[in-house]
Amino acid sequence: MYTFVFLWTPALSPNDEEIPHGFIFATFMLASMLGSSLASRLMARSSPRVESYMQIVFVISSASLLLPIITNFLVPPSKEKGGSISFAGCLQLLGFCTFEACVGIFWPSIMKMRSQYIPEEARSTIMNFFRIPLNIFVCIVLYNVNAFPITVMFGMCSIFLFVASILQRRLMAISDKPKMENWTAMKERDPEAESLND
């Protein structure tokens, strides 16, 4: 997300097109707000679980950040300087709004998972510990932003989000394991439960 904040402007105006920055930023905030609203509705239900739907959120956000790469190959770039936003820029804007909606779902959902998995007395210490490599990585990326093409930067972000979806699936499997063990132990203690299950 931090990298995206610095990349969306050059992605939408590669040839110095005149784009309405204020309107686009307001659209991003609206998409994020809609995502947060959707997250509150999802978390109010017992199913699907946060660990489950966050896998989908990470995959969608990964796909949405692939749009600058896809449009770069499929839509011929305009050679004219200036002008208004291009067709490729419109497609990317749609993908970026989808990404912002995923960000809106992410924040309340990750807060709920933190409260479930990280003990309250150690939460701030653990989170600050993980912020150190995050901030170092963001600084390295932003310092070298001109060293790589913008498609490479979006490709890296997309790959990391896809890896996050795989790790989210692993977290769900780990969180389900104690429940399965408890159910097995209960069946061993109570043979009637097994017969009811059959």
Side-chain angles (χ1 to χ4, degrees):
M1 186 191 71
Y2 297 125
T3 309
F4 167 79
V5 167
F6 288 91
L7 293 181
W8 71 263
T9 301
L12 295 179
S13 57
N15 294 319
D16 299 325
E17 288 94 344
E18 293 289 329
I19 59 172
H21 291 88
F23 178 77
I24 291 171
F25 183 75
T27 307
F28 288 164
M29 293 302 100
L30 177 63
S32 182
M33 186 185 72
L34 290 173
S36 297
S37 177
L38 179 60
S40 65
R41 290 176 183 272
L42 288 169
M43 287 189 294
R45 301 179 178 188
S46 57
S47 178
R49 290 172 50 207
V50 177
E51 294 88 349
S52 177
Y53 72 73
M54 279 306 294
Q55 296 174 56
I56 300 165
V57 169
F58 282 128
V59 169
I60 292 171
S61 57
S62 174
S64 67
L65 289 188
L66 278 177
L67 270 179
I69 301 168
I70 294 167
T71 55
N72 189 48
F73 287 110
L74 297 181
V75 180
S78 173
K79 303 202 174 173
E80 293 180 10
K81 289 280 182 184
S84 61
I85 190 167
S86 63
F87 175 68
C90 291
L91 291 176
Q92 291 177 39
L93 179 59
L94 184 65
F96 292 164
C97 287
T98 306
F99 174 76
E100 282 291 339
C102 291
V103 169
I105 297 171
F106 169 82
W107 284 117
S109 302
I110 202 72
M111 296 298 175
K112 183 173 182 182
M113 284 194 289
R114 282 176 189 169
S115 67
Q116 288 175 344
Y117 296 109
I118 306 175
E120 188 176 352
E121 59 274 6
R123 194 173 300 153
S124 61
T125 305
I126 292 170
M127 293 314 302
N128 286 328
F129 180 75
F130 281 103
R131 281 193 185 105
I132 294 168
L134 170 67
N135 290 332
I136 290 170
F137 176 75
V138 170
C139 288
I140 290 169
V141 167
L142 295 179
Y143 184 75
N144 296 304
V145 74
N146 292 325
F148 300 103
I150 200 163
T151 51
V152 171
M153 304 295 264
F154 277 114
M156 281 173 36
C157 292
S158 183
I159 289 167
F160 291 142
L161 285 166
F162 186 73
V163 170
S165 72
I166 295 168
L167 295 175
Q168 186 69 49
R169 185 170 181 80
R170 179 71 182 141
L171 175 65
M172 190 170 116
I174 291 169
S175 66
D176 283 342
K177 196 173 179 183
K179 293 176 186 173
M180 293 299 290
E181 289 171 356
N182 290 343
W183 177 247
T184 307
M186 190 175 75
K187 283 203 304 187
E188 287 171 359
R189 274 188 266 117
D190 189 3
E192 289 181 11
E194 191 171 352
S195 64
L196 285 171
N197 192 37
D198 295 337

